[in-house]
Amino acid sequence: MTLRLDDVTLTYPDGDGRLTALDRVSLDVPAGTLAAVVGPSGSGKSSLLAVAATLTTPDEGRVVVAGRDTAGLDRARKAALRRAHLGIVFQQPNLLPSLTAVEQLQVMTHLSGGAVREARGRALELLDAVGLADRASRRPHQLSGGQRQRINIARALMNDPEVLLVDEPTSALDHERGAAVVDLLVTLTRQRSTATVMVTHDRSHLDRADRTFTMDDGRLTVLGPA
Ligand code: ADP
Ligand code: MG
């Protein structure tokens, strides 16, 4: 089991009380599996990814990433765990405007203290894997929304993570380009044996996932193996 959440509850301060963003959520995602979580805006999808990414500590419950229980890890150890084992695709691509596509990927190696020049080969290989081999020298403003999203995904794979977390990858794309991005996630999940969690408010992409869940008011329910 590559990603596991056991009975995770997360609350946020809300006026005089607390808002329950995740209500005893349990989830396990084996290697090579794409789990899709669908739910309306405000249902807790991004909170789920933040907890799985060890960016937010839950009030209760257990988060196990790549076989490591994250309870009690300090900030530095969590950061090291993220760099070594997690790929995170945030909803906003946050590409650096002045860098080319290949450099966007090499930055990840720089951040984890690796040799940037040697990372170029891997970056080019990943750009090829997401269908952008011929766009390596383009800067973000010279790319379409779908192409930027592919770079966002390729960047998250630079450190060869076991777990890939993807927040609303299709929200800025039309249906056809959105479907192509989901197909790409399925292919990468298989090829790289990642435990992938994709959250979305768009039910139309669910049929491509191995496991599907709904999120409602912080409660996660199994929809099924497709
Ligand atoms: P989704 O991604 O499904 O839109 P979120 O996980 O972003 O849902 O939010 C779930 C609930 O938690 C919402 O009611 C949202 O307003 C609230 N929330 C999210 N982040 C915070 C925060 N940092 N502080 C307080 N409330 C938050
Ligand atoms: Mg969200």
Side-chain angles (χ1 to χ4, degrees):
M1 263 173 279
T2 304
L3 173 68
R4 201 170 91 223
L5 274 59
D6 284 336
D7 249 351
V8 165
T9 293
L10 173 70
T11 67
Y12 296 114
D14 182 33
D16 293 337
R18 312 281 303 177
L19 181 149
T20 301
L22 298 175
D23 189 357
R24 284 171 293 156
V25 166
S26 295
L27 171 73
D28 82 69
V29 187
T33 303
L34 175 74
V37 177
V38 65
S41 174
S43 59
K45 302 183 301 296
S46 293
S47 298
L48 173 76
L49 294 186
V51 165
T54 76
L55 292 166
T56 300
T57 305
D59 300 54
E60 289 180 63
R62 215 151 70 103
V63 179
V64 182
V65 175
R68 287 146 186 90
D69 192 336
T70 61
L73 295 184
D74 63 19
R75 288 169 68 95
R77 288 205 167 80
K78 281 182 182 167
L81 177 91
R82 283 196 294 275
R83 282 194 300 270
H85 303 291
L86 280 166
I88 308 174
V89 181
F90 292 106
Q91 200 169 351
Q92 301 301 327
N94 290 321
L95 299 177
L96 297 160
S98 62
L99 297 187
T100 64
V102 68
E103 289 165 351
Q104 310 280 347
L105 273 60
Q106 288 174 276
V107 164
M108 299 305 285
T109 304
H110 173 69
L111 292 175
S112 34
V116 173
R117 204 166 298 173
E118 280 84 281
R120 190 176 174 85
R122 174 161 178 80
L124 290 169
E125 181 243 320
L126 278 169
L127 285 179
D128 187 32
V130 300
L132 292 177
D134 58 346
R135 298 288 188 277
S137 309
R138 296 274 179 102
R139 294 177 211 283
H141 74 273
Q142 300 166 314
L143 295 162
S144 70
Q147 291 169 338
R148 285 197 289 267
Q149 190 58 283
R150 283 165 186 271
I151 290 172
N152 198 14
I153 292 166
R155 182 173 59 174
L157 293 168
M158 257 320 260
N159 293 339
D160 204 16
E162 286 102 316
V163 177
L164 181 63
L165 305 171
V166 191
D167 200 350
E168 308 247 15
T170 64
S171 59
L173 306 177
D174 62 36
H175 180 80
E176 197 178 328
R177 288 194 177 80
V181 165
V182 177
D183 284 342
L184 172 66
L185 287 171
V186 172
T187 303
L188 294 170
T189 297
R190 301 278 186 275
Q191 280 175 354
R192 288 159 203 276
S193 290
T194 53
T196 305
V197 181
M198 173 186 80
V199 307
T200 176
H201 64 263
D202 184 353
R203 299 188 79 94
S204 71
H205 299 304
L206 282 184
D207 56 346
R208 291 176 172 79
D210 300 306
R211 300 185 179 186
T212 53
F213 301 83
T214 55
M215 182 72 99
D216 267 299
D217 264 341
R219 278 182 297 274
L220 191 72
T221 309
V222 179
L223 263 184

